Amino acid sequence: MTATVDVSYHPAGLDEPLRPVLEDVRAGRWRAMRTLLANTGSWALRTARSQVLAAAAAPGDSVEAWGAERREHDWLMMHARVQTQRALRAHRDRAPSALPIEGAARRACHAAIRSWPQDPVPWVTLLALAQIDNGPLWNRQPEHRMPPWERGLPAGPWGLLAEIQRRDPDSREGWHRMLQALDAYQEGVTDFVRWASSHAPPGSPRTLLPLYVYVEIYRQRQATKAGAPLFWTTDPVAFYTARAATHWFAHSVEATRSALDLNYTAQALHFGGFRDLAVPVFKAIGPHATPAPWKYVAAAPQLWGEEFQRARRRSLPEPARTHPAHRARTRR
């Protein structure tokens, strides 16, 4: 029987150097964060690390302490990150201070853009704020109602996505922020993710965007008792599930994979019946399971770890068993 793994969720995911830095940030210290960002060599990793760091820093004052000593570009970028994180939280909580916090976040984004125009991260944070501006189309800011790149898709913050694409083609977070904006606008989400996935080059994480939408659809159906066990085996769900393995995972670079993307892919492959394709994905996950999407398919959200372990055991092949006679000959 396939052994279970010791599942222990950590926001750093597969990024081991990020783990101790997060502990420093939560304690109000900033120097390790500055050093890590200065030694991050790719836009994709810089974007991913800064997002996780901002989530850890937003409740505290580590970034403010950094700015009190050094006002360099990496600080401006992280300041924009943290301010955006706080603005999104205030918007979700419908806090009375949400509007001024959003304004401060936008100013921080533009200050970081002016500081180093080549950096895609401030553009990503600016796109993240687009979901807040979710009123009628005619009442949104002009940058949030730009015409789409292809007929049949909804208007939205396409100009902001284009700025990210020019700097970091196929930015994982950039495309997810675009999805979040369209979801907030309640316009053309399914058409957008299918189009984005179908036009993604091999190894691009935007190949997986449909899986995120399908998990949300399934979650809503489960909440209304309308979920169907065969949901994952029907088209086009099965088509985009297989595509996640053959078009993304098979061509992706191990160091750039997101733990969340791996778990979404493994979950869809498992429930879709693609056992052979699921095996290498579960092996790549190792102990780095994430609560989502398993909590959406588990009997109860808190049982997400058990759901992951069950799917892993069913998907991974059992270790080969040695015949007793062979073991006896080996001992002799």
Side-chain angles (χ1 to χ4, degrees):
M1 183 177 181
T2 301
T4 59
V5 293
D6 183 15
V7 174
S8 179
Y9 171 69
H10 193 283
L14 283 72
D15 190 351
E16 293 295 333
L18 180 57
R19 291 179 176 236
V21 178
L22 284 176
E23 299 308 314
D24 271 18
V25 169
R26 293 190 184 107
R29 297 186 290 268
W30 57 271
R31 294 185 185 278
M33 170 169 47
R34 178 177 183 263
T35 300
L36 181 70
L37 290 171
N39 291 287
T40 299
S42 73
W43 291 132
L45 192 55
R46 176 181 173 83
T47 305
R49 283 177 169 174
S50 61
Q51 181 187 18
V52 179
L53 287 167
D61 60 359
S62 57
V63 170
E64 283 78 5
W66 180 359
E69 288 202 30
R70 294 175 178 268
R71 295 212 164 209
E72 54 205 339
H73 174 73
D74 277 352
W75 173 78
L76 288 168
M77 180 273 291
M78 283 305 303
H79 179 58
R81 273 290 201 187
V82 167
Q83 291 290 82
T84 297
Q85 193 79 14
R86 290 169 178 166
L88 293 173
R89 176 65 182 270
H91 175 71
R92 284 193 298 269
D93 294 346
R94 298 184 179 181
S97 58
L99 194 59
I101 294 175
E102 178 192 350
R106 291 189 184 281
R107 290 191 295 273
C109 291
H110 285 291
I113 288 170
R114 289 192 298 270
S115 170
W116 189 16
Q118 292 83 5
D119 188 352
V121 177
W123 289 100
V124 171
T125 57
L126 202 55
L127 179 54
L129 292 169
Q131 62 190 281
I132 296 176
D133 187 20
N134 59 1
L137 178 64
W138 56 268
N139 203 32
R140 288 183 220 144
Q141 296 187 39
E143 64 183 9
H144 299 155
R145 47 187 167 94
M146 299 293 290
W149 297 350
E150 187 165 307
R151 182 179 298 179
L153 296 175
W158 291 96
L160 299 180
L161 183 61
E163 295 288 354
I164 298 168
Q165 278 288 98
R166 278 195 282 271
R167 293 161 174 80
D168 180 20
D170 288 313
S171 162
R172 180 190 180 277
E173 187 183 347
W175 284 87
H176 275 266
R177 293 301 189 182
M178 184 71 177
L179 170 58
Q180 289 171 356
L182 296 180
D183 185 50
Y185 304 162
Q186 297 183 354
E187 293 180 359
V189 166
T190 301
D191 289 338
F192 166 72
V193 296
R194 291 178 183 172
W195 167 83
S197 176
S198 298
H199 288 78
S204 168
R206 67 175 158 125
T207 303
L208 311 180
L209 286 173
L211 300 188
Y212 284 81
V213 172
Y214 293 141
V215 165
E216 178 60 20
I217 291 172
Y218 184 81
R219 185 191 67 79
Q220 292 175 1
R221 290 184 180 183
Q222 287 291 82
T224 59
K225 308 302 181 184
L230 298 179
F231 173 82
W232 303 101
T233 64
T234 59
D235 282 328
V237 180
F239 170 79
Y240 286 104
T241 295
R243 182 176 170 81
T246 59
H247 197 74
W248 171 67
F249 182 81
H251 299 277
S252 61
V253 178
E254 182 178 351
T256 66
R257 293 172 185 157
S258 155
L260 198 60
D261 285 349
L262 286 169
N263 279 267
Y264 267 77
T265 301
Q267 182 267 317
L269 290 169
H270 168 69
F271 284 101
F274 298 99
R275 177 172 175 171
D276 290 345
L277 295 177
V279 168
V281 181
F282 274 106
K283 288 181 177 178
I285 291 172
H288 302 292
T290 56
W294 304 105
K295 65 181 180 180
Y296 303 133
V297 296
Q302 66 271 22
L303 301 178
W304 69 268
E306 288 88 335
E307 186 66 41
F308 167 78
Q309 298 281 21
R310 188 180 302 111
R312 182 182 182 276
R313 286 194 300 270
R314 290 175 178 173
S315 294
L316 292 183
E318 294 185 6
R321 296 178 179 177
T322 306
H323 192 277
H326 176 74
R327 289 200 298 270
R329 288 195 301 270
T330 303
R331 285 195 293 271
R332 289 198 298 269

